[in-house]
Every structure is written in structure tokens, then in C-alpha cells.
Amino acid sequence: MSLATSYEVNRVRGPFNATFFGLMGPYIEWNVRHHKRRVFAGLPGAVVEIGSGVGANLRYLRPGSTLVAIEPNTAMHRRLRSAADRRGVRLDLRDSTAEQTGLPDRSADSVISSLVLCTVSNPAEVLTEVRRILRPGGTFRFVEHVAAPAGTFTRGLQRALRRPWAWTFEGCSCERDLAKALRAAGFTDVELTPYRLHSPFITFNTQIAGVAHA
Ligand SMILES: C[S@@+](CC[C@H](N)C(=O)[O-])C[C@H]1O[C@@H](n2cnc3c(N)ncnc32)[C@H](O)[C@@H]1O
């Protein structure tokens, strides 16, 4: 299914990012695995994921589950399809965007994302869309990287590197206060934990993981 959106696949960076996340996925996963295990525990048999990439989160779904994957970068699709086949997950792959998924109101029990709200053009709009498609009582489970506290070395580096980082990773910003955006989005409750990784990718180390309840 295809929706008219403002997302355009870049001929160079689209495939570059698919290769990058294919190669670096296991390293990123190793760093965030404890947080993902906690927030993705007990997912239902049908899940919507925004920005699925090459399938980093398929391992948190039970074989036989269905994943509605919203992934506008079509360069990711081949790897995502193979990963879903390997994991025994039924894939309903859509090239729409998280801002405009095209899914019906109140149709999902669970929406998940990892490292996506940093990249979408408008996180508030995406969170409104997530709330729209969640059933009352449904959950949005997330693992995201966020801005470091003001005045810290990490925050300075996030500012200094913002342009090359955004260029390389297709609009990704390390300067977003996503905890604030999540709390302002109108969920009935937001539980989140801030933490710090110790990877060499310093600008990416300040993160949050949690569950927002519709
Ligand atoms: C940093 S990657 C993370 C991929 C995957 N979730 C992971 O954890 O490896 C960001 C993903 O968000 C996707 N993306 C970018 N803009 C988007 C949008 N507006 N709606 C949905 N996905 C988007 C990108 O194509 C990419 O797959």
C-alpha cells in the first residue's frame, strides 16, 4: 500500500542507511538490549512499528506474529522482508510515514519504535498519529536517543555535529527533548527511564525507553 507523503528516498543515503543499519544493527542491539527487553516484553500477536528499518525489533515478536511495518525508505525493504521471513513474522509492509500511516482509528493494541522519533520531521505530529491508531488502553513502546542535559560536554558535541549527523542519517537530530514531547502528547500515562550508553558514538548515548498508555 502506498500513500502520498512528503518522504523522498535519497538515491545515495537511502541505500547507505540500509547498509549501515544492516551492519551496525547487532552492535546497536547489544547496547540497548536490556532496555528493549523491558519495554517490548509481552507484545501482542499483532504490532504496528513506525520506522522498522531493516528489522532490528523483529526478535521481540513471537514467531507467527503480524507486524505492520511503516517504513518509507524502500531501500530498507529487502533486508526487512528477509529478516521477517527468518524470524517467522508475518510482515504487512507499507511505505507510508509515521506522520500519516493510513491505518484506521483505534485499530492497534501496540505501536513500537526504536531510534525513529529523532528522524521524523515532526515528532508531535507522529505522536498524535500514534494516539489516533491506538485502541484505548493500548501502548506505545519506545527506545529513543535524546538531547543531553544543557551545558554538558555531550550536549555541546550534539550541537557541533548536528549538520553532518543530520545529513548522514537523513534528518536525524540528537538535540530533541523527546521525553517532553511524549509527556505533552496527550497519553493517559507515560512511564519512561532515561539512561546513558557508553558507546563511542557519544552524541547518541543519551537515551530514554518507556511505555506510553493511550
Ligand atoms: C535510525 S533508523 C532506525 C531503524 C530501526 N527502528 C532500528 O532501530 O534499527 C530510523 C528509521 O526511521 C525511518 N523513518 C524516517 N522518517 C520516517 C517517517 N517520517 N516515518 C516513518 N519512518 C521514518 C527511516 O527510514 C529509518 O528506517
Side-chain angles (χ1 to χ4, degrees):
M1 178 186 171
S2 184
L3 283 180
T5 70
S6 57
Y7 191 97
E8 268 183 40
V9 181
N10 183 282
R11 278 192 309 160
V12 175
R13 283 171 286 151
F16 165 79
N17 273 272
T19 305
F20 179 90
F21 284 98
L23 293 174
M24 291 300 289
Y27 176 72
I28 296 172
E29 195 55 36
W30 185 81
N31 276 283
V32 297
R33 66 195 186 286
H34 298 303
H35 306 285
K36 283 192 177 177
R37 276 184 203 145
R38 187 167 51 80
V39 299
F40 294 158
L43 281 169
V47 172
V48 175
E49 179 171 32
I50 53 171
S52 303
V54 296
N57 297 324
L58 288 163
R59 73 194 69 216
Y60 299 98
L61 303 181
R62 289 189 302 273
S65 300
T66 298
L67 180 68
V68 179
I70 307 295
E71 179 47 73
N73 180 358
T74 51
M76 303 273 187
H77 287 189
R78 183 181 55 78
R79 286 182 176 82
L80 179 56
R81 282 201 182 93
S82 321
D85 280 350
R86 280 199 305 278
R87 298 262 172 202
V89 170
R90 280 193 289 264
L91 189 65
D92 176 354
L93 177 54
R94 305 181 183 218
D95 62 5
S96 52
T97 63
E99 287 86 348
Q100 199 183 345
T101 60
L103 299 174
D105 291 357
R106 300 176 168 214
S107 57
D109 289 318
S110 239
V111 178
I112 64 173
S113 79
S114 66
L115 314 177
V116 172
L117 294 178
C118 51
T119 302
V120 298
S121 44
N122 187 336
E125 201 180 314
V126 168
L127 293 171
T128 300
E129 177 71 352
V130 168
R131 279 187 55 223
R132 183 186 69 75
I133 65 175
L134 276 173
R135 292 198 179 96
T139 52
F140 174 49
R141 302 155 185 236
F142 52 88
V143 174
E144 297 287 345
H145 70 90
V146 296
T152 59
F153 171 75
T154 303
R155 187 72 184 79
L157 204 58
Q158 288 172 336
R159 175 107 287 240
L161 294 179
R162 68 192 184 282
R163 287 203 179 90
W165 185 276
W167 188 87
T168 308
F169 297 113
E170 303 201 274
C172 178
S173 169
C174 295
E175 299 191 284
R176 291 186 176 170
D177 185 347
L178 295 174
K180 188 174 172 189
L182 279 149
R183 290 194 176 109
F187 289 99
T188 58
D189 185 34
V190 179
E191 308 157 46
L192 65 83
T193 308
Y195 58 93
R196 187 181 182 96
L197 301 182
H198 298 286
S199 83
F201 300 98
I202 295 169
T203 56
F204 163 87
N205 284 348
T206 42
Q207 303 204 349
I208 56 172
V211 181
H213 299 262

mmCIF file of all heavy atoms in Angstrom, residues 16 51 77 122 126 129 157 179 187 190 207:
data_model
loop_
_atom_site.group_PDB
_atom_site.id
_atom_site.type_symbol
_atom_site.label_atom_id
_atom_site.label_comp_id
_atom_site.label_asym_id
_atom_site.label_seq_id
_atom_site.Cartn_x
_atom_site.Cartn_y
_atom_site.Cartn_z
ATOM 1 N N PHE A 16 22.594 3.788 1.657
ATOM 2 C CA PHE A 16 23.686 3.832 2.650
ATOM 3 C C PHE A 16 23.142 3.488 4.033
ATOM 4 O O PHE A 16 23.723 2.679 4.769
ATOM 5 C CB PHE A 16 24.356 5.221 2.680
ATOM 6 C CG PHE A 16 25.215 5.413 3.900
ATOM 7 C CD1 PHE A 16 26.498 4.857 3.953
ATOM 8 C CD2 PHE A 16 24.737 6.086 5.026
ATOM 9 C CE1 PHE A 16 27.272 4.984 5.111
ATOM 10 C CE2 PHE A 16 25.505 6.211 6.178
ATOM 11 C CZ PHE A 16 26.774 5.670 6.218
ATOM 12 N N GLY A 51 8.919 3.164 11.399
ATOM 13 C CA GLY A 51 10.358 3.207 11.101
ATOM 14 C C GLY A 51 11.062 1.904 11.415
ATOM 15 O O GLY A 51 12.051 1.875 12.154
ATOM 16 N N HIS A 77 13.628 -2.205 2.470
ATOM 17 C CA HIS A 77 12.582 -3.231 2.414
ATOM 18 C C HIS A 77 13.103 -4.650 2.178
ATOM 19 O O HIS A 77 12.579 -5.603 2.749
ATOM 20 C CB HIS A 77 11.532 -2.860 1.355
ATOM 21 C CG HIS A 77 10.650 -1.724 1.794
ATOM 22 N ND1 HIS A 77 9.529 -1.329 1.112
ATOM 23 C CD2 HIS A 77 10.715 -0.890 2.871
ATOM 24 C CE1 HIS A 77 8.950 -0.317 1.736
ATOM 25 N NE2 HIS A 77 9.660 -0.023 2.790
ATOM 26 N N ASN A 122 8.400 15.614 12.188
ATOM 27 C CA ASN A 122 7.603 16.284 13.202
ATOM 28 C C ASN A 122 7.159 15.282 14.285
ATOM 29 O O ASN A 122 6.125 14.635 14.161
ATOM 30 C CB ASN A 122 6.385 16.936 12.528
ATOM 31 C CG ASN A 122 5.603 17.797 13.486
ATOM 32 O OD1 ASN A 122 5.646 17.618 14.702
ATOM 33 N ND2 ASN A 122 4.879 18.760 12.936
ATOM 34 N N VAL A 126 3.696 12.880 14.751
ATOM 35 C CA VAL A 126 3.778 11.411 14.790
ATOM 36 C C VAL A 126 3.092 10.882 16.051
ATOM 37 O O VAL A 126 2.338 9.903 15.994
ATOM 38 C CB VAL A 126 5.253 10.947 14.728
ATOM 39 C CG1 VAL A 126 5.374 9.471 15.062
ATOM 40 C CG2 VAL A 126 5.828 11.241 13.351
ATOM 41 N N GLU A 129 -0.531 10.885 15.656
ATOM 42 C CA GLU A 129 -0.932 9.773 14.782
ATOM 43 C C GLU A 129 -0.900 8.443 15.560
ATOM 44 O O GLU A 129 -1.804 7.614 15.414
ATOM 45 C CB GLU A 129 0.012 9.724 13.564
ATOM 46 C CG GLU A 129 -0.220 8.586 12.590
ATOM 47 C CD GLU A 129 -1.505 8.713 11.767
ATOM 48 O OE1 GLU A 129 -2.320 9.605 12.027
ATOM 49 O OE2 GLU A 129 -1.687 7.873 10.867
ATOM 50 N N LEU A 157 28.644 18.591 21.990
ATOM 51 C CA LEU A 157 29.015 17.780 20.821
ATOM 52 C C LEU A 157 27.794 17.543 19.916
ATOM 53 O O LEU A 157 27.893 17.572 18.683
ATOM 54 C CB LEU A 157 29.572 16.444 21.317
ATOM 55 C CG LEU A 157 30.506 15.698 20.382
ATOM 56 C CD1 LEU A 157 31.723 16.556 20.012
ATOM 57 C CD2 LEU A 157 30.975 14.400 21.042
ATOM 58 N N ALA A 179 11.379 13.225 25.742
ATOM 59 C CA ALA A 179 10.609 12.955 26.970
ATOM 60 C C ALA A 179 9.521 14.024 27.103
ATOM 61 O O ALA A 179 8.357 13.722 27.385
ATOM 62 C CB ALA A 179 11.531 12.960 28.173
ATOM 63 N N PHE A 187 -1.102 11.330 26.058
ATOM 64 C CA PHE A 187 -1.309 9.950 26.537
ATOM 65 C C PHE A 187 -1.841 10.006 27.968
ATOM 66 O O PHE A 187 -1.616 10.984 28.691
ATOM 67 C CB PHE A 187 0.017 9.169 26.502
ATOM 68 C CG PHE A 187 0.484 8.837 25.113
ATOM 69 C CD1 PHE A 187 1.445 9.616 24.481
ATOM 70 C CD2 PHE A 187 -0.051 7.760 24.419
ATOM 71 C CE1 PHE A 187 1.878 9.323 23.195
ATOM 72 C CE2 PHE A 187 0.369 7.454 23.137
ATOM 73 C CZ PHE A 187 1.338 8.241 22.521
ATOM 74 N N VAL A 190 2.590 8.192 30.900
ATOM 75 C CA VAL A 190 3.864 7.917 30.214
ATOM 76 C C VAL A 190 4.881 7.493 31.269
ATOM 77 O O VAL A 190 5.186 8.254 32.184
ATOM 78 C CB VAL A 190 4.405 9.166 29.468
ATOM 79 C CG1 VAL A 190 5.739 8.855 28.790
ATOM 80 C CG2 VAL A 190 3.391 9.684 28.443
ATOM 81 N N GLN A 207 19.741 8.463 26.173
ATOM 82 C CA GLN A 207 18.549 7.795 25.635
ATOM 83 C C GLN A 207 17.419 7.724 26.669
ATOM 84 O O GLN A 207 17.629 7.930 27.861
ATOM 85 C CB GLN A 207 18.913 6.369 25.192
ATOM 86 C CG GLN A 207 20.037 6.342 24.164
ATOM 87 C CD GLN A 207 20.042 5.083 23.304
ATOM 88 O OE1 GLN A 207 19.324 4.121 23.586
ATOM 89 N NE2 GLN A 207 20.850 5.091 22.262
#
